Amino acid sequence: MSVVEQYARAHIVSDADIADDAAVPVVLRYDPEADPRSVRVGLPGTDEWTFSRALLEQGLRAPVGSGEVRVWPCGRVQAVVEFHSPHGVSVVQFEQKALLRFLRRTYMATAPVRG
């Protein structure tokens, strides 16, 4: 089993004066040996967030939330991931296809080898 790491571009949803097309780099990680049920999302300037892979997958179809993380579809091609911390809330908008590609790669990383 191998670690899956994928870079994606996402938009931080904010009321600050940020250009609408300003995308930030985000790192999506999955380590099946460390925790086969969790994924990690690394945002610029913050620690990584770790949460259930099933939560990410379910959130692409319908709104779901667990603890500090909420995920929901946004229109036909985007998804929103919301992170809550004592310092505030980060709302990050992704293209669904980037998240689907990442999820597909995580399942391929844990697929049994047929011989």
Side-chain angles (χ1 to χ4, degrees):
M1 292 190 276
S2 61
V3 173
V4 174
E5 185 171 277
Q6 178 176 311
Y7 293 86
R9 308 255 331 137
H11 294 272
I12 306 284
V13 179
S14 170
D15 58 1
D17 289 332
I18 299 175
D20 289 342
D21 61 351
V24 297
V26 176
V27 180
L28 306 168
R29 289 190 179 96
Y30 173 71
D31 185 347
E33 291 186 21
D35 186 353
R37 292 189 175 107
S38 296
V39 294
R40 295 180 293 174
V41 175
L43 302 175
T46 65
D47 295 327
E48 285 187 331
W49 291 85
T50 302
F51 58 97
S52 163
R53 178 172 60 168
L55 179 79
L56 180 59
E57 186 174 8
Q58 292 167 3
L60 296 179
R61 293 187 302 271
V64 295
S66 176
E68 301 172 331
V69 180
R70 290 170 179 70
V71 183
W72 66 88
C74 182
R76 292 180 169 205
V77 296
Q78 297 178 338
V80 173
V81 183
E82 184 178 276
F83 302 100
H84 293 256
S85 76
H87 305 290
V89 177
S90 295
V91 180
V92 184
Q93 192 171 32
F94 291 89
E95 285 192 19
Q96 280 190 11
K97 66 182 178 182
L99 297 176
L100 287 167
R101 183 175 33 245
F102 172 68
L103 284 169
R104 191 174 318 117
R105 291 180 64 209
T106 68
Y107 285 107
M108 288 173 48
T110 56
V113 177
R114 295 186 181 136

